[in-house]
Amino acid sequence: MLRDIITYPHKILKEKSKEITLFDNELHTLLDDMYETMMHKSGIGLAAIQIAVPLNTLIINLPNKDDKQEKEDLVEVINPTILEMDGSTLYTEGCLSVPEYYEDVQRAERIKVSYFDRHGNEIITEYDGLMAIAFQHECDHLKGELFIEKLSYLKRKKFEKEWKKKIKGKK
Ligand code: CO
């Protein structure tokens, strides 16, 4: 089922998500809905809080080398922990909760993470490239943080001005 994506500055996006303890049908439905909603909006990542569900889960589905988003590449992440971070990289990020806004963000280049899959199996692995960037971006959502909070003071000010204008124009 398609769900509505919450956009900035809705205050629910600031909420801290809670640990998942049951790997049941309800969780599977949530994950399926997140996938459908993300694909509908042409996103590559989505955290549950973005559809107003404050639970520690996120999904990432990067395009492959043919630039196709295949479901077999979908990664479902439950209760993630970033165990190690290394290096530094700059990437122009976007977010379905901050539509049509893109800005450079600095993040760790490589990460070691642990999480659970939808059946409760623990996975420990390492990521680099866009996967590492997306993972960090989505984990921030679970802490109630958005990528715009990583901008410099001036860039953030400019963003807020433009965003207010944009919201006003839509009303
Ligand atoms: Co986002």
Side-chain angles (χ1 to χ4, degrees):
M1 192 179 79
L2 273 183
R3 311 256 197 132
D4 286 334
I5 293 187
I6 308 295
T7 56
Y8 181 78
H10 199 297
K11 65 177 185 333
I12 198 167
L13 292 169
K14 283 178 167 283
E15 212 173 296
K16 281 192 177 60
S17 293
K18 292 195 170 57
E19 201 178 324
I20 289 168
T21 50
L22 288 173
F23 295 79
D24 57 2
N25 280 334
E26 208 175 312
L27 173 66
H28 297 173
T29 302
L30 170 66
L31 288 164
D32 293 342
D33 286 357
M34 284 167 66
Y35 176 74
E36 200 182 327
T37 305
M38 179 186 76
M39 294 306 280
H40 180 71
K41 294 278 180 183
S42 308
I44 59 166
L46 189 76
I49 192 72
Q50 293 180 273
I51 56 165
V53 178
L55 291 175
N56 267 334
T57 182
L58 60 96
I59 58 169
I60 297 172
N61 195 359
L62 300 186
N64 61 22
K65 27 182 204 315
D66 300 324
D67 213 28
K68 283 210 177 88
Q69 231 176 334
E70 301 285 1
K71 193 164 185 188
E72 61 181 33
D73 296 320
L74 172 67
V75 181
E76 295 176 332
V77 174
I78 292 131
N79 298 340
T81 309
I82 298 178
L83 304 167
E84 287 170 30
M85 293 175 143
D86 184 33
S88 171
T89 183
L90 202 64
Y91 188 80
T92 310
E93 295 187 15
C95 180
L96 292 176
S97 292
V98 193
E100 292 154 48
Y101 179 78
Y102 304 91
E103 192 51 80
D104 289 351
V105 177
Q106 194 157 17
R107 296 194 186 271
E109 197 177 2
R110 290 171 296 275
I111 54 173
K112 183 177 178 184
V113 300
S114 75
Y115 60 87
F116 294 85
D117 69 11
R118 64 160 63 202
H119 305 293
N121 302 306
E122 190 177 23
I123 292 155
I124 295 177
T125 188
E126 290 177 28
Y127 293 127
D128 60 11
L130 185 53
M131 189 62 196
I133 292 164
F135 203 98
Q136 291 171 78
H137 175 117
E138 299 309 330
C139 280
D140 280 352
H141 277 298
L142 305 184
K143 291 184 282 179
E145 292 168 14
L146 296 172
F147 78 110
I148 50 171
E149 287 164 61
K150 297 199 175 295
L151 304 181
S152 68
Y153 175 75
L154 282 175
K155 273 187 182 167
R156 179 65 188 265
K157 238 174 109 174
K158 193 165 167 261
F159 162 78
E160 291 296 343
K161 216 173 140 185
E162 286 169 6
W163 199 254
K164 264 189 200 131
K165 233 191 248 169
K166 188 183 152 156
I167 291 174
K168 243 183 163 176
K170 278 192 174 161
K171 273 178 188 162

